Amino acid sequence: MKKEFLEGEWGEVIEKSRPIWELVKEKDIKNKEANALREYLVRSGFSEEAVTNLLSSFYELFHFTSKFLHKIDPSGKQLNPEIIASKEDAYLIYSLSINIIHLIAKKINKVNLT
C-alpha cells in the first residue's frame, strides 16, 4: 500500500487495503466465540460492546472500499455508480489501515505478554 500511495495510485491503495477489512465478516460480529481477534481485544481490556463496534467498523469499511472496486452491487442486480479514488480517499484508507494494524498488533502483544 505504501508504494502505491507514494506513486499516487489511489485506487490501488484502496484495493490493497482489502485484506485488512476482510479480517471481519458479518458472522464474526455476531459470533462472540469463534473470532480470535474479538478474543484478543476483549482480553486486552475492551468491553464486548466496544469490540462489536470496532469489528462493525471493519465490516463497514470493507463495504465502503468495495464501492471503489466493484461495478455491480452485492445483489448482482444493480450497477454501482463509478467512484474514482482520489488522493483524500486513499489517504483516509491508508491511514486507517496503518492505525488498525498497529492497534491489533499492540493488543495481541499485550495479551501475549500477560
Side-chain angles (χ1 to χ4, degrees):
M1 277 178 39
K2 183 176 182 178
K3 176 183 174 286
E4 310 300 347
F5 186 80
L6 294 173
E7 293 175 358
E9 297 293 336
W10 313 130
E12 292 293 317
V13 171
I14 291 174
E15 186 171 350
K16 293 205 173 178
S17 76
R18 299 278 292 189
I20 296 163
W21 315 124
E22 289 173 345
L23 285 172
V24 177
K25 304 290 185 214
E26 187 175 22
K27 65 178 176 55
D28 298 326
I29 298 166
K30 296 175 183 172
N31 186 349
K32 295 181 177 165
E33 287 77 40
N35 186 293
L37 179 55
R38 174 182 283 282
E39 182 182 333
Y40 275 112
L41 293 171
V42 169
R43 288 179 54 204
S44 74
F46 281 179
S47 69
E48 284 286 346
E49 183 180 12
V51 173
T52 297
N53 294 148
L54 183 62
L55 296 182
S56 295
S57 72
F58 287 15
Y59 182 71
E60 293 302 329
L61 282 163
F62 170 79
H63 288 289
F64 173 71
T65 58
S66 293
K67 305 296 186 256
F68 291 91
L69 306 173
H70 300 296
K71 295 181 189 228
I72 299 176
D73 76 347
S75 73
K77 297 177 182 176
Q78 198 170 350
L79 286 175
N80 286 329
E82 183 179 13
I83 303 174
I84 298 171
S86 59
K87 183 176 183 177
E88 60 273 14
D89 304 319
Y91 199 93
L92 171 71
I93 295 302
Y94 180 70
S95 61
L96 285 171
S97 299
I98 290 170
N99 284 294
I100 288 299
I101 290 168
H102 180 75
L103 176 122
I104 291 170
K106 290 293 186 179
K107 296 297 184 184
I108 289 171
N109 191 41
K110 182 178 183 179
V111 168
N112 287 338
L113 290 176
T114 57

